[in-house]
C-alpha cells in the first residue's frame, strides 16, 4: 500500500529521496503530491525570452535555431554553442566538452532548458544548462527518450539548481503510478454538492493534466482542500470556545470604568461606544470572549481596550497587555499610566481610592524590578500588567488572569496566545488589537476563530495627512525641499521622523521589506547609521537630531522616545521600530527614504505615526525608482489614498499571501499554496459555511476521520513553526 504518508525513500530510492528532502523539504508522497507546478508550459507556446534577467534561475521552453561545435583557441577541449529562440529573441547556450549533445539538439527541436542566466559579450546565455527534450527522437540518449514529455501541458515546478523541473516531474510520475486510492478529507456528500473530483484524481490532474480543463478542475478541487480544512479547524476552535467555561466579568457600577469615563478628557466616538458595548456584553458571558479589534492607527483602540481592562479589574481579576516590541510596551505603560492618572497609582502618594497598579515587565526589566513585578502580578496587586514576550516565561504567575489583550496580533501566533491563556485556571477573555486593516476574507481565514469589530472613524480634531512622492531621479532638487519642510515644521515647534529601511553595518541586515522578485539588483538600502550623521551635521544641523533603531540598548531607545515625547528632540532618524503604535501628537512631518523598499501596508503604518495631533501633517516618500516601475507604483499608491483597507487589498494583490500574513500564519511551506485570499472569496465563504454546518452537527468530526487527520496535520505544522520560532 502506498499512501500519502508513505516515505519517499521506499518509492523513489535513497538517493532521490535525499535530494528531494534537502532541496525542497519534501519527505512523504503527500509532500510531493502537494508540491504543485508553479505554471505550465504549453507545447508550441515558447517562453518569452525578452523577460529573462541576468542572475535569474530559469526554465524556458524554446526551439533550437542553430548548433555549432567549436574548438577553443586558448584551451584544450571543445565547446558546443547552441542558439535557441522563442521566435523573436535569442538565447545562447554553451557546453564544454560534451560534443555528443549536438546529436540531440538538432535545429527545430523544442525543449525545456534550465539554468542561470548569464551574460557574455552583451548576449544573454545559459552556461551548461540542463535540458529536457519534448519529444523523443532517434539519436536521443535512452535517458532523454524515456523522460521526454507527451502531454500538451508541461508542468514547471518551483525547482532549484540541483533539481531541475523535469526531474521533479519524473518523481511525481513515479509516485502517482504507485499511489493507491487515498483517503479524501472532503466529505463525499459535499464534493457531490459542489462538483468536486476525488483527491487522487485531482493530484493526477494538477501534475499531469490531459487538458487545460482537467488542470483547472483539479486545481479548484485542491483549493477546496486548503480552504475547507482550515475552516473546519477554525469552526472547531469556535465551537470549543463556545463550550469552554469562563468567569463572567460583568461591569460593576461605581467602579474603575465609571471613574475613568468621568475623568476622560474627551467623549468616546460612536464607533468606540459600539465596540465598548460589544466588549461589555462579551465579558458578561460565561464563555471566553475572542474578539479582534481593528482600526487605523489613532482610531482609539487603546482607550477601548483600557476600559475592558478596567472592567475586569473591577470584577476582581487582572488584565495583561502584550506588545510586540520593547518600545511599544514601554509606550503603552506610559500612555496607560497617563490616561489613568490617580486611578492607576495604587500604593503611591495621591492614588485614588479605587486605584489599581500598572506593572511593566519586559526582557530588559532589571532583576530587582522584575522580582517586585512578579510579586505584584502573583498577589493580584497589579490589576494591569503590560509587557512583551517576557510575560510568557513560566515564572510569571497571575493571581486571577481575566483578560488578555494582544496588541498587533500579526506578530503573535495562536500558540503564544495559548501560553498566556494557560496562565489562568479558567480560560481568560481575549481581545486582539490590530492597526493593519485586514480584508474580510483574510480576517475569515487568518482570524477565523475571532469575532471582528472595526473602528472606522478617527476621533475628531485630527488633521489629514498630505502625502507626496519625492522622485529624486526626475526631480533631484525636491529632496532639498523635503529637508526645508522639516526645518519649517521644527521652526513651528513641531517634530519629525526620518525613516530608513536599514540600520547599518552589514548590508544584508534588517532590510525593511523582503526583496520582491520583480526587482533587479540595486544598491543596498539607505541605513540609519549613515543617514543620521549626514543630517545631523548637514541639512538638519540646526536641529536636535537623534537616532532610533532595534540594535540600541533598551534604555537608550526608551530615553530617545521619552525625550522626543517631551519635545526635547526635533527629529528622530529611525528604522521601522517606529512603525507600530508610537504616539507623539506633535510630530507633523515624516520623510521616508528609499520608500520603494517598504511594502504598501508598511508605508501606510509608518505614515500613521504623524498627523496624530491637530496640526496638519505631511509625509514625504523619497524614491529613486522611475515612474511606471513596479516599485514606484507601490509608493504612488500610498500617496494616492489614505484608505487603509484599499491599500491592504492592493498589497495583497501584489504579494504572495505568505509574505502578507507572515510565516506564522501562512505556514513555513505555506498551507495556502493555491488559495488566493482575494480572488477566491466565494470559495472561502462557501467552505466556511459548509465547515460550520459540519462541525455544528458533529463537533468531533467522528464521521470524517480523513478530515480529522488533515486538521491534525495543519495544527502540527502550526506547532512546528511555533517551536522553530522559539
Ligand atoms: P490606537 O490605539 O487605535 O492607535 P489610541 O487609543 O492610542 O489609538 O488613540 C490615539 C489618540 O487619540 C490618543 O492620544 C487618545 O488619547 C486619543 N483619543 C482616543 N479616543 C479619542 C476620542 N474619542 N476623542 C478624542 N481623542 C481620542
Ligand atoms: Mg495604539
Amino acid at each position: 500500500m502506498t499512501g500519502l504518508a508513505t516515505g519517499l525513500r521506499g518509492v523513489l530510492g535513497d538517493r532521490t529521496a535525499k535530494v528531494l528532502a534537502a532541496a525542497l523539504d519534501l519527505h512523504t508522497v503527500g509532500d510531493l503530491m502537494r508540491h504543485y507546478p508553479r505554471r505550465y508550459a504549453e507545447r508550441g507556446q515558447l517562453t518569452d525570452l525578452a523577460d529573462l534577467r541576468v542572475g535569474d534561475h530559469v526554465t524556458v521552453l524554446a526551439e533550437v535555431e542553430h548548433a555549432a561545435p567549436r574548438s577553443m583557441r586558448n584551451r584544450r577541449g571543445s565547446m558546443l554553442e547552441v542558439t535557441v529562440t522563442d521566435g523573436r529573441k535569442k538565447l545562447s547556450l554553451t557546453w564544454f566538452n560534451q560534443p555528443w549533445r549536438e546529436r540531440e539538439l538538432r535545429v527545430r527541436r523544442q525543449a525545456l532548458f534550465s539554468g542561470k542566466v548569464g551574460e557574455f559579450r552583451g548576449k544573454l546565455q545559459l552556461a551548461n544548462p540542463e535540458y529536457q527534450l519534448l519529444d523523443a527522437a532517434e539519436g536521443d540518449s535512452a535517458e532523454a527518450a524515456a523522460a521526454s514529455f507527451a502531454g500538451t501541458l508541461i508542468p514547471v515546478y518551483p525547482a532549484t539548481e540541483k533539481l531541475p523541473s523535469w526531474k521533479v516531474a519524473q518523481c511525481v510520475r513515479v509516485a502517482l503510478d504507485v499511489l493507491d486510492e487515498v483517503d479524501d478529507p472532503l466529505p463525499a456528500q459535499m464534493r457531490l454538492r459542489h462538483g468536486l473530483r476525488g483527491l487522487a484524481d485531482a493530484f493526477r490532474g494538477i501534475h499531469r493534466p490531459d487538458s487545460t480543463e482537467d488542470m483547472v478542475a483539479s486545481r479548484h478541487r485542491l483549493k477546496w482542500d486548503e480552504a475547507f480544512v482550515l475552516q473546519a479547524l477554525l469552526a472547531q476552535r469556535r465551537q470549543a470556545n463556545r463550550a469552554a467555561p469562563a468567569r463572567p466579568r460583568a461591569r460593576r457600577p461605581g467602579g474603575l470604568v465609571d471613574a475613568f469615563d468621568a475623568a476622560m478628557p474627551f467623549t468616546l466616538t460612536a464607533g468606540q461606544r459600539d465596540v465598548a458595548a460589544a466588549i461589555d456584553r462579551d465579558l458578561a458571558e460565561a464563555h471566553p470572549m475572542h474578539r479582534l479589534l481593528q482600526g487605523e492607527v489613532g482610531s482609539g483602540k487603546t482607550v477601548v481596550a483600557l476600559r475592558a481592562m478596567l472592567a475586569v479589574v473591577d470584577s476582581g481579576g487582572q488584565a495583561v497587555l502584550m506588545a510586540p516590541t520593547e518600545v511599544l510596551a514601554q509606550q503603552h505603560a506610559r500612555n496607560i499610566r497617563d490616561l489613568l492618572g490617580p486611578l492607576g497609582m495604587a500604593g503611591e502618594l495621591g492614588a485614588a481610592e479605587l486605584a489599581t497598579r500598572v506593572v511593566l515587565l519586559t526582557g530588559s526589566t532589571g532583576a530587582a524590578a522584575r522580582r517586585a513585578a512578579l510579586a505584584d502580578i502573583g498577589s493580584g496587586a497589579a490589576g494591569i500588567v503590560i509587557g512583551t514576550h517576557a510575560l510568557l516565561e513560566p515564572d510569571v504567575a497571575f493571581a486571577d488572569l481575566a483578560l488578555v489583550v494582544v496588541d498587533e496580533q500579526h506578530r503573535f501566533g495562536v500558540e503564544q496566545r495559548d501560553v498566556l491563556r494557560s496562565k489562568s485556571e479558567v480560560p481568560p477573555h481575549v481581545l486582539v488589537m490590530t492597526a493593519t486593516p485586514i480584508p474580510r476574507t483574510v480576517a475569515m481565514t487568518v482570524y477565523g476563530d475571532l469575532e471582528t469589530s472595526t473602528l472606522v472613524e478617527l476621533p475628531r480634531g485630527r488633521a489629514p495627512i498630505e502625502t507626496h512622492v519625492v522622485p529624486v531621479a526626475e526631480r533631484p532638487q525636491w529632496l532639498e525641499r523635503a529637508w526645508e519642510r522639516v526645518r519649517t515644521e521644527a521652526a513651528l515647534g513641531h517634530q519629525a521622523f526620518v525613516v530608513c529601511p536599514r540600520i547599518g553595518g552589514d548590508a544584508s541586515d534588517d532590510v525593511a521589506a523582503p526583496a520582491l522578485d520583480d526587482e533587479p539588483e540595486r544598491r543596498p538600502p539607505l541605513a540609519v547609521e549613515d543617514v543620521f550623521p549626514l543630517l545631523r551635521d548637514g541639512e538638519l544641523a540646526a536641529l536636535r537630531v537623534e537616532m532610533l533603531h532595534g540594535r540600541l540598548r533598551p534604555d537608550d531607545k526608551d530615553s530617545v522616545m521619552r525625550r522626543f515625547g517631551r519635545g526635547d528632540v526635533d527629529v528622530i532618524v529611525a528604522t521601522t521600530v517606529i512603525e507600530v503604535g508610537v504616539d507623539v501628537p506633535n510630530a507633523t512631518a515624516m520623510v521616508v527614504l528609499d520608500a520603494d523598499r517598504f511594502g504598501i501596508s508598511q508605508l501606510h503604518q509608518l505614515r500613521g505615526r504623524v498627523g496624530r495631533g491637530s496640526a496638519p501633517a505631511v509625509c514625504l516618500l523619497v524614491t529613486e525608482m522611475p515612474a511606471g516601475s513596479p516599485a514606484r507604483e507601490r509608493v504612488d499608491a500610498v500617496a494616492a489614498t489614505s484608505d487603509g483597507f484599499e491599500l491592504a487589498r492592493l498589497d495583497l494583490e501584489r504579494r504572495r499571501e505568505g509574505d502578507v500574513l507572515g510565516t506564522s500564519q501562512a505556514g513555513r511551506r505555506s498551507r495556502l499554496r493555491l488559495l488566493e485570499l482575494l480572488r477566491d472569496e466565494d470559495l472561502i465563504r462557501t467552505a466556511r459555511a459548509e465547515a460550520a454546518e459540519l462541525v455544528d452537527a458533529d463537533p468531533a468530526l467522528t464521521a470524517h476521520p480523513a478530515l480529522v487527520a488533515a486538521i491534525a496535520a495543519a495544527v502540527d505544522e502550526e506547532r512546528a513553526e511555533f517551536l522553530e520560532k522559539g
Side-chain angles (χ1 to χ4, degrees):
M1 279 295 283
T2 305
L4 296 179
T6 306
L8 286 172
R9 255 182 74 198
V11 177
L12 301 169
D14 245 356
R15 246 187 51 208
T16 309
K18 268 201 192 112
V19 176
L20 286 171
L24 297 168
D25 197 20
L26 306 175
H27 307 276
T28 63
V29 170
D31 290 345
L32 183 58
M33 287 298 109
R34 293 197 190 274
H35 183 65
Y36 303 131
R38 190 210 314 268
R39 60 189 172 84
Y40 298 86
E42 201 168 335
R43 183 175 291 274
Q45 297 226 333
L46 303 178
T47 310
D48 192 346
L49 297 176
D51 292 341
L52 299 187
R53 276 190 320 237
V54 174
D56 287 351
H57 196 272
V58 297
T59 301
V60 298
L61 176 53
E63 186 173 297
V64 176
E65 189 179 77
H66 181 75
R70 286 209 261 136
S71 56
M72 289 182 293
R73 235 173 293 152
N74 304 327
R75 282 198 274 167
R76 280 160 177 272
S78 71
M79 181 176 130
L80 175 64
E81 185 169 17
V82 172
T83 305
V84 296
T85 178
D86 61 4
R88 288 173 305 256
K89 289 262 173 201
K90 297 184 203 313
L91 178 65
S92 156
L93 316 176
T94 54
W95 285 271
F96 296 98
N97 297 325
Q98 299 171 45
W100 52 272
R101 293 197 185 277
E102 197 189 349
R103 263 182 294 142
E104 288 183 351
L105 295 168
R106 305 249 175 83
V107 173
R108 306 289 314 263
R109 291 203 72 177
Q110 294 190 354
L112 289 169
F113 299 94
S114 183
K116 193 166 168 191
V117 181
E119 201 170 3
F120 187 70
R121 297 206 173 122
K123 280 199 299 188
L124 291 186
Q125 74 160 19
L126 305 180
N128 278 317
E130 304 223 32
Y131 60 89
Q132 177 65 64
L133 301 167
L134 285 202
D135 302 285
E138 228 174 299
D140 290 350
S141 64
E143 197 194 341
S148 69
F149 286 94
T152 47
L153 286 182
I154 298 148
V156 178
Y157 290 91
T160 66
E161 213 151 338
K162 287 223 170 60
L163 205 61
S165 171
W166 52 88
K167 295 232 168 99
V168 177
Q170 281 161 30
C171 295
V172 168
R173 179 161 61 178
V174 172
L176 276 173
D177 284 347
V178 296
L179 185 62
D180 296 299
E181 193 51 46
V182 294
D183 291 333
D184 198 323
L186 302 188
Q189 285 299 319
M190 185 182 82
R191 278 196 341 247
L192 217 56
R193 268 200 299 285
H194 298 284
L196 304 174
R197 54 176 62 187
L199 185 55
D201 195 23
F203 281 144
R204 187 211 39 79
I206 197 162
H207 290 292
R208 303 181 61 79
D210 293 333
S211 64
T212 304
E213 297 76 58
D214 187 26
M215 183 269 285
V216 168
S218 299
R219 271 177 70 92
H220 181 67
R221 141 76 216 215
L222 293 168
K223 276 185 183 186
W224 261 87
D225 275 28
E226 293 177 6
F228 188 75
V229 170
L230 187 56
Q231 291 302 336
L233 166 62
L234 293 170
Q236 278 190 317
R237 283 196 179 142
R238 287 197 303 271
Q239 165 85 31
N241 191 48
R242 277 197 300 274
R247 203 166 305 153
R249 309 279 181 170
R251 240 181 100 166
R252 190 163 55 79
L256 280 165
V257 178
D258 288 346
F260 177 70
D261 283 349
M264 208 162 30
F266 45 75
T267 49
L268 294 180
T269 63
Q272 282 173 314
R273 276 201 302 277
D274 286 350
V275 177
I279 292 175
D280 281 347
R281 275 197 306 278
D282 286 352
L283 291 177
E285 297 265 0
H287 62 82
M289 166 170 81
H290 256 177
R291 188 169 287 276
L292 173 69
L293 173 52
Q294 53 174 342
E296 293 271 323
V297 278
S299 58
K301 297 181 297 297
T302 307
V303 170
V304 171
L306 178 56
R307 284 179 88 263
M309 294 192 258
L310 294 174
V312 304
V313 176
D314 276 341
S315 78
Q318 291 167 287
V320 56
L321 170 56
M322 278 277 278
T325 66
E326 190 103 18
V327 169
L328 277 177
Q330 279 162 355
Q331 181 182 286
H332 270 307
R334 263 198 312 278
N335 272 355
I336 284 178
R337 282 182 183 133
D338 285 353
L339 280 166
L340 287 177
L343 292 174
M345 289 166 42
E348 294 170 56
L349 214 58
E353 205 179 316
L354 288 165
T356 186
R357 193 172 295 170
V358 180
V359 161
L360 174 68
L361 186 67
T362 69
S364 67
T365 304
R370 182 178 159 83
R371 262 195 308 279
L374 290 181
D376 280 351
I377 297 170
S379 71
I384 295 180
V385 180
I386 299 168
T388 54
H389 287 80
L391 291 169
L392 300 175
E393 313 252 309
D395 61 345
V396 180
F398 291 83
D400 178 11
L401 179 56
L403 170 66
V404 173
V405 180
V406 180
D407 187 12
E408 309 296 346
Q409 151 80 7
H410 55 290
R411 312 239 179 136
F412 290 102
V414 172
E415 296 284 340
Q416 283 148 317
R417 262 195 269 157
D418 286 348
V419 173
L420 265 185
R421 241 181 277 175
S422 71
K423 290 180 180 290
S424 169
E425 258 166 62
V426 287
H429 300 280
V430 176
L431 179 66
V432 175
M433 299 193 286
T434 177
T436 310
I438 303 163
R440 221 175 22 234
T441 43
V442 179
M444 246 192 248
T445 312
V446 184
Y447 303 104
D449 55 343
L450 306 180
E451 307 284 334
T452 306
S453 306
T454 306
L455 286 174
V456 272
E457 68 188 308
L458 293 185
R460 263 183 310 261
R462 195 75 46 85
I465 307 169
E466 231 184 283
T467 307
H468 298 291
V469 177
V470 178
V472 285
E474 295 128 62
R475 304 244 182 276
Q477 70 282 15
W478 284 17
L479 186 57
E480 262 166 58
R481 281 201 240 159
W483 303 129
E484 176 64 45
R485 180 67 189 261
V486 171
R487 291 193 294 267
T488 308
E489 291 297 325
L492 292 169
H494 296 147
Q495 291 160 285
F497 295 105
V498 176
V499 183
C500 304
R502 195 161 65 88
I503 298 175
D506 177 9
S508 67
D509 74 347
D510 216 50
V511 176
L516 303 174
D517 24 346
D518 60 354
E519 284 161 25
E521 272 186 43
R522 299 161 46 188
R523 67 161 168 75
L526 292 172
V528 170
E529 286 178 339
D530 300 331
V531 170
F532 167 65
L534 281 177
L535 289 176
R536 181 194 53 194
D537 305 333
E539 293 280 2
L540 304 181
L543 308 182
R544 294 164 299 177
V545 186
E546 293 277 358
M547 72 174 168
L548 183 69
H549 59 69
R551 282 211 299 262
L552 294 180
R553 296 212 333 266
D555 283 356
D556 295 339
K557 274 190 268 186
D558 195 40
S559 151
V560 171
M561 274 319 295
R562 217 180 357 240
R563 284 182 292 132
F564 190 69
R566 277 203 307 259
D568 294 344
V569 170
D570 299 308
V571 179
I572 288 187
V573 182
T575 53
T576 51
V577 288
I578 58 149
E579 181 183 345
V580 267
V582 170
D583 188 13
V584 178
N586 192 44
T588 54
M590 172 173 287
V591 180
V592 183
L593 298 175
D594 275 350
D596 49 90
R597 306 277 188 161
F598 297 86
I600 289 179
S601 294
Q602 213 174 10
L603 284 175
H604 182 62
Q605 290 278 338
L606 278 170
R607 169 169 63 182
R609 300 302 118 219
V610 294
R612 295 173 75 92
S614 52
V618 64
C619 176
L620 303 173
L621 304 175
V622 180
T623 176
E624 287 177 356
M625 292 293 103
S629 63
R632 171 68 174 275
E633 275 172 13
R634 288 201 300 274
V635 178
D636 289 344
V638 176
T641 177
S642 57
D643 179 341
F645 280 91
E646 171 62 14
L647 290 172
R649 205 183 52 72
L650 277 177
D651 205 355
L652 199 54
E653 262 173 21
R654 270 154 211 260
R655 301 166 66 181
R656 284 181 48 247
E657 260 87 19
D659 299 334
V660 177
L661 306 179
T663 43
S664 69
Q665 276 87 17
R668 189 161 38 103
R669 256 191 276 134
S670 184
R671 283 187 291 279
L672 306 185
R673 284 161 232 212
L674 298 173
L675 202 62
E676 293 175 90
L677 295 182
L678 291 176
R679 297 217 183 93
D680 296 322
E681 182 162 351
D682 287 346
L683 193 160
I684 293 170
R685 216 175 266 293
T686 316
R688 184 177 173 83
E690 286 278 5
E693 201 173 309
L694 195 72
V695 169
D696 273 348
D698 177 9
L701 298 171
T702 40
H704 305 279
L707 177 57
V708 170
I711 291 174
V715 171
D716 266 359
E717 237 174 281
E718 204 175 68
R719 214 150 264 156
E721 284 148 24
F722 175 64
L723 292 176
E724 260 169 39
K725 280 192 302 179

